[in-house]
Amino acid sequence: MRYAFPEDELRPLSCKPLTRDRVNPAHIELNDPLGNYSLTLIDSLSTLAILASGSGLNDKGDRALAEFQHGVAALVEQYGDGTEGAHGMGKRARGFDLDSKVQVFETVIRGLGGLLSAHLFAIGELPIRGYDPITHSTRDEMEPEKIKWSAGFTYDGQLLRLAHDLGKRLLPAFSTVTGLPYPRVNLRHGVPFYKNSPLSYEVVQGQCYPGEQGQCLAMPPPNRELTETCSAGAGSLVLEFTVLSRLTGDPRFEYLAKRAFWSVWERRSNIGLVGSGIDAESGLWTSPYTGLGAGIDSFFEYAIKSYILLSGSENPQYSISEGDADTIGLNLAPPLRVEHHEPDSFLRVWQEAHVGIKRHLYRGKTYMHPHYIQADLNTGAARAYWMDSLSAFFPGLLALTGDVDEAVETHLLFTALWSRYSAIPERWSTATGSIEGGLGWWGGRPEFIESTYHLYRATKDPWYLHVGEMTLRDIKRRCWTKCGWSGVQDVRSGERNDRMESFFLGETAKYLHLLFNPDHPLDKLDAPFVFTTEGHPLVIPKSARKFQGPTDTTALVDSNLPSAELGSCPVPLQPIPFSVSGVAARSDLFHAASLARLHLMPTIDNLNSPIIEFSQDHPSITLSDVRSPSNYTYYPWTLPLELIPYNGTSSPMTSRPTYDITFPALPNMVLTPGMLQRVANGILINAVGGLRLGMIQDVPVSYGGSGDGDLYRVQAINNMPLGKDEKIFMARDIVSSVVNPQDPNFTRVRDTTMLDIVVDVVGPAPTFKAKVAHTNDTTQSGLNVAPEVLLAGALESNSDAASQVKMALNFLANHVASIMAEQPAKPDPKYLREYMPAITPTGVGTAPIPDVQEASGPNTAGAPQGSLMWNAIYVTDQNCHAKLPSSVPREHQIIVMKRGGCSFLQKLANIPSFAPARTSLQLVVVVSFEEAESEGESESSLIRPLLDSVQVTSSGLPRHNPVPLVMVGGGERVYDIFRRAVGMGIKRRYSVHAQGVPISNLIIL
């Protein structure tokens, strides 16, 4: 306030204000948040209100409350009281009538959220200890009630009216056909720089090219405005806009924010991942990457917090006038449905998103210590191995949702990083253990401290108080200046930058205070309140939980969805005897320290700090504030000895076995882009010469891993990473010519239990999609192949092969973009081909399945290939009470019967004897109806039939030629298929093994 107000931010080193860069409008890192409306004051009002409750030790609440009230009065003096009259004009502007192009997201979370939170504190809806706002009613019922403060100021809702003014100036950004807001808006002129916005159209002059100041230009300006926003920017507006709508009765904000949120979520990939960059006009993702940090982070946060905020309030009844609808483009995008307003719907979004995160982004304990990576949006394949400081919010979010164990383990890594660098660098690589891309600054971000606060609230473990003490001492030591608090430009050297971001006071200081003030009244508030992503507490007052708008409902569609369930926080773990911290006693404590390379932390005997000059006459400064502790044995390095268990041990770090399988190139082989072909559920390999498969062994989930069992998995092809659910398809013909059949690293093993029955049925032609159809689950990695034995493997490494692999790697790296889906082939219109799993029997009466030519599998488009060899099919009932006619086994190759009524051996005994021939009986198929009634046609529900004695004829004599038998599920549906069948064959199943372990995602066609 002394050095920078009424400007936006402070330069703490030069003691001057920091303002927008008017000379360089493209300087969006500065101009996006700084709107020339006293940003830091607005952002820190809620912090002052929280400090006003005091600490319980040396209460300074009266001073903080006075500063809060003084800040509100100063803001009103600059921007008016939000009314239309003379008092609505401030020294700087009438409301936020400012010629400033700002980012919608930053303005909402910092400006709008700060105003709303401060208003809720001012009227007593959010608690301040000792503050009892006494309202004085006015004679005019239309006037708001007044609250008299000290120094002669009367509060009557000025902050809410200013928030409404600011919100209305953001509405033009929502005029898009996608429902996604444009990323930027001019607070005075709207969105004239977006040429496709309906608000840029002038009726008199026709379609024009808007200029920066709203004028209509005959020619387009040279540089068009970027329309790219992000998931966080578009989908993290629900909290602030909903509270604004509920407090003002203006439904536009809540409706548009929810529409933007659902517009993002409905564009998620097929594997449940949300991307980062997205175009507001086309709705297309602009980047294939996804993660937890910048551009995505707060979308997950607002999913669960919207559920909390909306809990206990009725769904709003919207009625927006036609004029207002036109001004905000309400009818441009698809309307919301009823479920889009229900709290449970937001909870389901979080739950589904978390499943996708755990499946594709989470790397478990077998990667030294759990952490998250950057992955491909559509496949889940690893794309980068860095983590940014923004993603440190995630442990706190997990604590909020009851996933405390995952929160604790991931927070440990950030704690180790802070221990190493005395800050969290903007981006750090788990692969190299160093700062990624030179992004080594820390701008005072609050996310790590925020998570520390939430975890302490969830566990009450003193570990987090010591972590908070560590961060507090480091901030005081490295960031203090005589005018404020600086950022750290390089966490390694300690170089500082001349900027105090508004969120340092708005969030970082706030969470530190709350961490060390467990008795704060906000933590005892019996209401569904939330902290926004900018750290502003918000709550819907009880009077506004039933929406006060008109009851006319338009553009809403009813639906019935199952209710979602939110987990609850577990009871805090009791500390191990002779210790007081459950976290400090964890056996994986030092795993995080190892991944963070904590042993590389520099040992500095004398660590100077600019705060020394302030310490001479200030009692709050101690030696610990200017010097790091010298004991680097324990982790974190602030951990006192009394927290360490006397017999504490570290569990061994696990690692996943990995190796490569390299296929040598054939002489004169020319590598082409077509050797790899993307299909709907994986990659089809058309040539293996010069190919290298990167293998990794997954571990069972029961052992804490994130894999699918004790299996190998192809994780990369020629250094191109694959997602966990992507499959690799290889044709048998291309393998046999280049592999060594004796190599144990690549061996095909026949499945002796399961096979597939292939049936051609008279019926309508199927509609085939571009995908590789396969009937085995993730624990069986091969489709059936031709009957001849095929063993595949990799030749021993040699220099020629290595050269060819390098050539293939370089070639494929340049042609990844050329991987395209195969066009669907035309299916035979006569028949519909069905594939159904079958299980073989066990026991002494079992006969081997005929060694015949197997049916061909579908092509990559899903269309059938080839004809089936058996076409004489006899369908009977249970076959328990009478012997079949003698002609049946002689003239039919397949007999189909129902399960039940008698034993399997009795069914076989009622089949007359016959001489083996190509045209005689080859296989008996038993259709089970029990699995159809219980679990459907899933092969997991099939139980192997038991033939506990040798097969006999109806007369009781041993059968010289036992009859092969298989059982299928499906009940009446499958039984009807066999009645209409015109052809049948079998396809055996094979799994590919490496070193005796199955490869889960490699399938031989």
Side-chain angles (χ1 to χ4, degrees):
M1 295 294 286
R2 178 184 304 172
Y3 297 103
F5 184 78
E7 303 302 335
D8 285 316
E9 288 183 346
L10 168 69
R11 294 183 182 272
L13 299 179
S14 55
C15 298
K16 295 179 180 179
L18 179 64
T19 61
R20 292 174 57 82
D21 190 347
R22 298 288 185 181
V23 177
N24 181 17
H27 189 185
I28 58 176
E29 292 83 2
L30 193 65
N31 291 337
D32 273 356
L34 305 190
N36 197 30
Y37 53 79
S38 307
L39 176 62
T40 297
L41 174 60
I42 294 176
D43 215 0
S44 58
L45 282 176
S46 62
T47 302
L48 288 171
I50 287 176
L51 293 174
S53 291
S55 62
L57 298 176
N58 52 341
D59 193 289
K60 296 184 179 180
D62 291 343
R63 177 184 172 185
L65 180 59
E67 292 289 351
F68 169 73
Q69 295 175 351
H70 171 70
V72 173
L75 194 68
V76 172
E77 182 180 12
Q78 293 293 324
Y79 304 98
D81 65 358
T83 61
E84 297 294 334
H87 295 292
M89 185 66 195
K91 291 182 177 179
R92 173 163 286 200
R94 176 178 290 277
F96 296 98
D97 183 23
L98 301 162
D99 186 16
S100 300
K101 185 169 74 173
V102 294
Q103 190 187 79
V104 174
F105 171 65
E106 293 288 355
T107 305
V108 168
I109 65 171
R110 301 198 199 193
L112 189 63
L115 291 169
L116 291 172
S117 184
H119 169 73
L120 292 169
F121 276 111
I123 63 175
E125 290 291 344
L126 291 174
I128 299 176
R129 184 182 289 119
Y131 171 66
D132 185 15
I134 301 175
T135 59
H136 300 272
S137 300
T138 59
R139 295 181 180 179
D140 189 349
E141 295 181 357
M142 300 301 295
E143 291 186 12
E145 295 182 337
K146 300 180 182 298
I147 304 173
K148 291 187 177 181
W149 287 349
S150 60
F153 183 83
T154 299
Y155 184 77
D156 61 359
Q158 293 95 326
L159 295 180
L160 179 59
R161 292 194 293 273
L162 287 173
H164 195 199
D165 175 79
L166 180 59
K168 288 186 291 186
R169 296 178 184 277
L170 302 176
L171 292 180
F174 291 82
S175 297
T176 65
V177 296
T178 61
L180 303 167
Y182 285 116
R184 294 173 182 85
V185 65
N186 188 291
L187 294 178
R188 176 175 294 167
H189 302 294
V191 289
F193 31 79
Y194 293 116
K195 67 174 184 178
N196 292 326
S197 170
L199 303 184
S200 298
Y201 185 84
E202 293 189 0
V203 178
V204 176
Q205 301 185 43
Q207 182 66 49
C208 67
Y209 296 100
E212 178 70 22
Q213 305 302 324
Q215 71 274 27
C216 196
L217 306 178
M219 297 295 293
N223 298 319
R224 303 306 305 168
E225 187 74 18
L226 293 178
T227 57
E228 178 186 355
T229 183
C230 62
S231 297
S236 304
L237 311 172
V238 176
L239 301 182
E240 294 86 352
F241 270 25
T242 295
V243 172
L244 180 59
S245 283
R246 300 299 177 94
L247 292 176
T248 62
D250 187 341
R252 294 176 294 175
F253 305 101
E254 182 175 354
Y255 186 90
L256 292 173
K258 288 178 177 177
R259 187 176 72 176
F261 176 91
W262 292 108
S263 294
V264 172
W265 179 243
E266 288 168 358
R267 287 170 170 81
R268 66 191 182 279
S269 68
N270 291 332
I271 58 175
L273 295 179
V274 174
S276 175
I278 188 170
D279 188 86
E281 291 185 342
S282 68
L284 300 177
W285 297 110
T286 59
S287 170
Y289 281 29
T290 185
L292 291 180
I296 309 174
D297 49 358
S298 56
F299 178 83
F300 306 123
E301 182 183 0
Y302 274 46
I304 187 63
K305 289 184 177 180
S306 295
Y307 162 75
I308 296 172
L309 181 71
L310 296 172
S311 297
S313 63
E314 296 183 9
N315 288 347
Q317 302 296 314
Y318 291 106
S319 179
I320 301 174
S321 68
E322 184 176 348
D324 285 342
D326 291 338
T327 59
I328 60 175
L330 185 67
N331 300 320
L332 293 176
L336 293 179
R337 299 187 298 272
V338 168
E339 68 266 20
H340 289 156
H341 302 285
E342 296 174 353
D344 280 1
S345 297
F346 291 93
L347 174 58
R348 280 188 290 269
V349 170
W350 158 252
Q351 291 172 334
E352 185 176 338
H354 190 210
V355 169
I357 290 169
K358 286 296 293 285
R359 176 63 183 166
H360 302 288
L361 306 184
Y362 177 80
R363 307 187 97 191
K365 296 178 181 179
T366 53
Y367 291 92
M368 192 175 296
H369 187 79
H371 58 279
Y372 305 91
I373 62 171
Q374 315 300 309
D376 187 276
L377 172 64
N378 297 301
T379 66
R383 289 292 179 257
Y385 300 95
W386 50 260
M387 46 194 284
D388 60 12
S389 60
L390 287 170
S391 61
F393 88 100
F394 199 62
L397 186 63
L398 291 171
L400 191 65
T401 61
D403 301 292
V404 176
D405 190 63
E406 183 184 351
V408 170
E409 65 183 14
T410 52
H411 184 269
L412 284 175
L413 181 56
F414 287 105
T415 306
L417 276 181
W418 189 288
S419 300
R420 177 179 173 185
Y421 293 108
S422 297
I424 301 292
E426 185 69 9
R427 188 178 290 182
W428 180 83
S429 171
T430 58
T432 65
S434 58
I435 290 172
E436 177 84 5
L439 306 180
W441 62 80
W442 180 73
R445 290 198 186 277
E447 285 76 16
F448 173 63
I449 301 166
E450 173 189 358
S451 288
T452 305
Y453 159 72
H454 285 299
L455 274 166
Y456 179 68
R457 291 283 302 161
T459 65
K460 300 299 182 183
D461 195 306
W463 165 277
Y464 298 105
L465 295 179
H466 288 278
V467 172
E469 181 186 14
M470 172 180 68
T471 59
L472 179 59
R473 293 189 186 281
D474 283 335
I475 291 171
K476 291 173 70 175
R477 174 171 55 85
R478 307 188 85 183
C479 303
W480 179 89
T481 75
K482 63 180 180 180
C483 301
W485 303 87
S486 72
V488 181
Q489 186 62 32
D490 191 324
V491 297
R492 295 162 295 190
S493 66
E495 176 189 356
R496 297 183 291 171
N497 61 39
D498 196 14
R499 182 179 183 184
M500 185 177 76
E501 296 256 18
S502 70
F503 52 67
F504 180 81
L505 296 182
E507 296 184 80
T508 307
K510 179 183 299 168
Y511 285 120
L512 278 171
H513 174 80
L514 289 172
L515 174 64
F516 295 108
N517 188 2
D519 195 41
H520 196 281
L522 194 62
D523 291 330
K524 301 178 180 180
L525 181 61
D526 185 18
F529 86 96
V530 294
F531 288 99
T532 70
T533 193
E534 190 69 12
H536 296 302
L538 290 180
V539 67
I540 298 177
K542 292 182 180 179
S543 60
R545 291 182 189 175
K546 183 176 181 181
F547 198 75
Q548 299 299 317
T551 57
D552 180 30
T553 304
T554 59
L556 296 180
V557 182
D558 194 10
S559 75
N560 295 310
L561 293 177
S563 60
E565 295 183 0
L566 179 65
S568 58
C569 289
V571 177
L573 295 176
Q574 294 298 318
I576 293 177
F578 305 105
S579 72
V580 294
S581 171
V583 177
R586 288 176 64 101
S587 60
D588 61 347
L589 184 69
F590 290 89
H591 298 185
S594 179
L595 181 58
R597 283 74 163 182
L598 193 56
H599 60 283
L600 300 179
M601 181 172 64
T603 301
I604 304 175
D605 294 331
N606 296 302
L607 192 58
N608 295 322
S609 169
I611 204 172
I612 292 179
E613 64 185 75
F614 184 65
S615 65
Q616 298 178 356
D617 57 352
H618 204 286
S620 69
I621 306 303
T622 66
L623 182 64
S624 297
D625 292 318
V626 297
R627 289 190 58 189
S628 295
S630 59
N631 186 353
Y632 292 88
T633 304
Y634 297 103
Y635 160 65
W637 46 258
T638 57
L639 195 65
L641 294 178
E642 58 265 24
L643 290 188
I644 301 296
Y646 77 97
N647 60 349
T649 58
S650 176
S651 61
M653 283 182 287
T654 57
S655 61
R656 297 186 175 194
T658 59
Y659 72 98
D660 288 350
I661 296 178
T662 302
F663 296 90
L666 295 175
N668 303 320
M669 185 191 74
V670 179
L671 300 178
T672 64
M675 61 186 301
L676 294 182
Q677 185 176 1
R678 180 166 293 283
V679 290
N681 50 354
I683 302 293
L684 175 65
I685 298 177
N686 294 316
V688 297
L691 197 70
R692 183 173 63 186
L693 303 180
M695 313 296 296
I696 187 170
Q697 188 170 14
D698 286 328
V699 297
V701 176
S702 59
Y703 289 96
S706 58
D708 299 310
D710 191 15
L711 307 169
Y712 275 108
R713 172 170 55 86
V714 180
Q715 67 170 344
I717 303 178
N718 285 19
N719 282 1
M720 182 178 71
L722 301 176
K724 287 184 177 180
D725 295 330
E726 285 192 282
K727 297 187 181 299
I728 310 302
F729 303 98
M730 300 176 67
R732 66 186 181 194
D733 297 335
I734 67 171
V735 178
S736 57
S737 59
V738 294
V739 300
N740 182 355
Q742 305 304 319
D743 192 335
N745 290 328
F746 201 79
T747 308
R748 194 193 69 168
V749 178
R750 175 183 287 183
D751 191 331
T752 59
T753 302
M754 298 295 299
L755 70 155
D756 293 302
I757 299 296
V758 185
V759 183
D760 278 344
V761 184
V762 176
T767 301
F768 295 97
K769 297 181 179 180
K771 67 177 182 179
V772 175
H774 59 92
T775 57
N776 56 306
D777 59 22
T778 56
T779 63
Q780 298 162 318
S781 55
L783 285 180
N784 301 347
V785 295
E788 58 268 15
V789 177
L790 173 62
L791 297 178
L795 293 175
E796 296 295 329
S797 300
N798 56 67
S799 59
D800 293 336
S803 175
Q804 292 291 342
V805 167
K806 181 179 293 186
M807 180 173 63
L809 190 153
N810 294 332
F811 181 87
L812 290 174
N814 295 327
H815 291 274
V816 170
S818 66
I819 299 177
M820 301 174 61
E822 180 177 297
Q823 295 297 322
K826 281 189 175 183
D828 186 344
K830 300 179 183 177
Y831 307 122
L832 172 65
R833 180 159 291 184
E834 294 275 356
Y835 299 81
M836 58 190 72
I839 193 167
T840 59
T842 185
V844 297
T846 302
I849 303 298
D851 190 12
V852 296
Q853 181 177 352
E854 298 181 11
S856 299
N859 63 15
T860 58
Q865 299 183 102
S867 58
L868 303 180
M869 63 179 304
W870 297 326
N871 50 31
I873 303 171
Y874 184 86
V875 180
T876 183
D877 204 351
Q878 293 179 340
N879 200 39
C880 291
H881 305 295
K883 184 178 179 181
L884 291 176
S886 60
S887 62
V888 171
R890 293 199 308 268
E891 299 175 359
H892 295 86
Q893 298 157 314
I894 303 295
I895 295 178
V896 180
M897 58 184 69
K898 294 181 179 180
R899 180 184 180 184
C902 59
S903 67
F904 293 102
L905 286 171
Q906 182 61 45
K907 295 177 185 292
L908 296 176
N910 286 334
I911 298 176
S913 299
F914 61 95
R918 291 182 57 189
T919 58
S920 64
L921 181 61
Q922 304 291 316
L923 183 67
V924 171
V925 179
V926 177
V927 179
S928 175
F929 286 70
E930 295 181 11
E931 287 76 14
E933 295 174 356
S934 59
E935 302 181 49
E937 300 172 33
S938 172
E939 60 189 74
S940 62
S941 64
L942 290 173
I943 300 176
R944 297 187 74 177
L946 175 61
L947 305 182
D948 54 357
S949 62
V950 297
Q951 295 186 27
V952 297
T953 64
S954 58
S955 59
L957 298 176
R959 190 184 290 273
H960 292 294
N961 300 298
V963 178
L965 177 144
V966 296
M967 186 173 71
V968 298
E972 189 62 40
R973 191 193 79 85
V974 171
Y975 191 70
D976 180 68
I977 288 176
F978 283 110
R979 282 201 296 259
R980 295 184 291 116
V982 295
M984 184 182 136
I986 61 172
K987 277 178 56 60
R988 297 187 182 273
R989 293 187 177 189
Y990 299 87
S991 60
V992 181
H993 287 217
Q995 300 178 357
V997 179
I999 302 176
S1000 63
N1001 63 337
L1002 181 58
I1003 297 172
I1004 296 181
L1005 302 176

